Amino acid sequence: MSGVFKDIARVYFIGIGGIGMSALARYFKARGFAVAGYDKTQTTLTDALVELGINITFSDQLDAIPDGFEQTDTLVVYTPAIPRQHEQLQFFSTGVHQIHKRAVVLGMITRTSKSLAVAGTHGKTTTSAILGHLLASCNVPVTAFLGGIAENYGSNYIAKGDEFTVVEADEFDRSFLQLRPDVACVTAMDADHLDIYGSEEEFEKTFKEFAALVPDPKLVLHPKKLPLSGTTVGIEDGADYEAKNIRVEDGAYTFDLKTPRGELKSLRFSLPGHHNLLNAITALGMAISIGTPTDCLPKALFEFKGVRRRFSFAYRSENKVLIDDYAHHPTEINAVFQAVSEFYPNQKKLVVFQPHLYSRTRDFLPEFALSLAQFDQVLLLDIYPARELPIPGVNSAVLLEAIANEKKQLVSKIDLPDLIQKSDCEVILILGAGDIGVEVKNITEHLHAN
């Protein structure tokens, strides 16, 4: 392959089972490279890669590296989640191999095409999935790297051509500063990752640095309330791309979209919640800004089926609805509550929440307590640590105490099916970015059986 990867014959991924890494693995495999990788745990994502002929090892020992991949024409890609003492990472870090973080490699790819980058503390995955789908459905030659499984494709990777690239611009570790976007959006700038940034001011400053990477400031799309230049998106607020005349019909939003180039009438969009509607408006704006024919957009938008674990309906019966969502920040929990209240205004709502990271729980404990207290019943799991060690005095019991709701309980995963079955709440929300999503299958099987 010519260009930035012309001296590379193989690509080895350390952490290949991650949602972003697995999409990159698919990209290189489709372009004829030999691809292999390591991950700690076998999952459905790693199984799907193995089916493509990608060699995956679950041992971090050096002798687990497949033959040939130790050679110097191997590009090594790793994630920040991999500990520095990882044996394979240490071997490849001796200076002989090309070794880069995932974000750097994504940045290299964006330099070979017209890049559309989706940034923001909330909504990245849904917005990028909608955008990739709109472009693919309108026959725009696009490759999209997604941070979740798009239901229309059963994949986190869309491959319809190379002229345009859609990427999620991840603010964690300032990774998005590696990109060189031609068009970008910032969906939200609510403070997060303060363990990395240190302060809200530094967090906001870095987002402004990202927006400044776009050569034409008009091609930075964002909600009106954000302190950025560019083109605005919004709902009934006079934005440049503005949803108007919004109503809920047959379980979907119907709305008109005002754009700088005219108006699109009676668009339909099936994902609940104003946050999702704003994601859709942003994706439409980005698609229109690169010249996508507008006559194909209404049908493409209505056919978008969503992203797994983003307000995903896992179970529905006459008496109960189970919704699975990745929400792990107070703003995201509030958005889910708004969505479920709009579509189920008269039903009682139970939330099962697994906090993600000790530092995030500490930094936003009062906000988490307020957002969770809105529900009729709260079941709280222990904190999912991810990359972190425990912080003294930070635990789910402290968060539970702060929630102003009498119907609250600290629970273990094994008890969830029975507690949900016995609850008088008709709408169940499973929220969190840790491993709580794995429990959804057990809960749905229990509900079906009873």
Side-chain angles (χ1 to χ4, degrees), residues 216-232:
D216 183 353
K218 293 180 181 178
L219 295 179
V220 179
L221 283 70
H222 60 85
K224 286 186 70 175
K225 66 180 181 179
L226 297 189
L228 298 171
S229 301
T231 298
T232 56

Side-chain angles (χ1 to χ4, degrees), residues 97 112 285 423:
H97 298 85
T112 67
S423 173

Side-chain angles (χ1 to χ4, degrees), residues 351-368:
V351 63
V352 179
F353 181 58
Q354 181 188 49
H356 185 262
L357 299 179
Y358 296 100
S359 60
R360 184 181 286 123
T361 306
R362 174 199 63 199
D363 293 340
F364 301 105
L365 193 143
E367 292 86 352
F368 275 123

Side-chain angles (χ1 to χ4, degrees), residues 10 12 74 120 151 202 246 254 256 261 341 359-360 445:
R10 303 166 191 81
Y12 190 76
T74 297
E151 297 286 8
E202 182 65 22
I246 303 160
T254 299
D256 302 328
R261 306 178 189 182
S341 297
S359 60
R360 184 181 286 123
E445 288 177 352

Side-chain angles (χ1 to χ4, degrees), residues 5-131:
F5 304 114
K6 61 183 176 66
D7 297 323
I8 297 300
R10 303 166 191 81
V11 187
Y12 190 76
F13 291 85
I14 303 179
I16 195 169
I19 193 73
M21 292 280 275
S22 61
L24 268 180
R26 290 173 178 272
Y27 171 87
F28 282 103
K29 180 67 175 178
R31 279 154 180 76
F33 291 89
V35 178
Y38 155 85
D39 208 272
K40 185 177 181 180
T41 308
Q42 181 180 357
T43 64
T44 54
L45 280 175
T46 60
D47 290 345
L49 295 178
V50 169
E51 288 180 9
L52 293 176
I54 294 174
N55 188 340
I56 298 180
T57 177
F58 300 99
S59 167
D60 63 358
Q61 301 299 304
L62 292 184
D63 59 9
I65 299 172
D67 289 343
F69 282 84
E70 75 285 352
Q71 297 181 21
T72 57
D73 58 356
T74 297
L75 169 65
V76 180
V77 188
Y78 70 99
T79 76
I82 297 295
R84 297 302 303 179
Q85 65 268 27
H86 189 278
E87 191 169 337
Q88 294 180 8
L89 183 60
Q90 288 187 334
F91 167 75
F92 284 117
S93 298
T94 56
V96 178
H97 298 85
Q98 280 197 52
I99 178 167
H100 297 298
K101 290 182 182 179
R102 179 184 68 90
V104 174
V105 176
L106 264 183
M108 295 165 74
I109 292 171
T110 62
R111 289 166 175 78
T112 67
S113 64
K114 296 173 185 175
S115 169
L116 294 89
V118 178
T121 42
H122 324 297
K124 285 189 297 291
T125 297
T126 300
T127 302
S128 58
I130 298 171
L131 178 58

Side-chain angles (χ1 to χ4, degrees), residues 293-370:
T294 56
D295 59 352
C296 67
L297 290 174
K299 181 174 185 288
L301 182 68
F302 184 61
E303 290 178 346
F304 180 72
K305 297 178 182 177
V307 179
R308 208 164 294 169
R309 294 220 70 224
R310 268 67 174 184
F311 214 94
S312 299
F313 287 91
Y315 174 86
R316 298 191 219 200
S317 72
E318 290 185 7
N319 301 318
K320 270 191 170 50
V321 174
L322 181 69
I323 298 167
D324 182 25
D325 196 276
Y326 191 69
H328 57 284
H329 185 282
T331 301
E332 295 168 348
I333 296 172
N334 288 334
V336 169
F337 183 78
Q338 182 277 322
V340 76
S341 297
E342 185 175 27
F343 277 69
Y344 298 97
N346 302 316
Q347 285 84 3
K348 290 183 179 179
K349 302 160 187 69
L350 179 155
V351 63
V352 179
F353 181 58
Q354 181 188 49
H356 185 262
L357 299 179
Y358 296 100
S359 60
R360 184 181 286 123
T361 306
R362 174 199 63 199
D363 293 340
F364 301 105
L365 193 143
E367 292 86 352
F368 275 123
L370 286 172

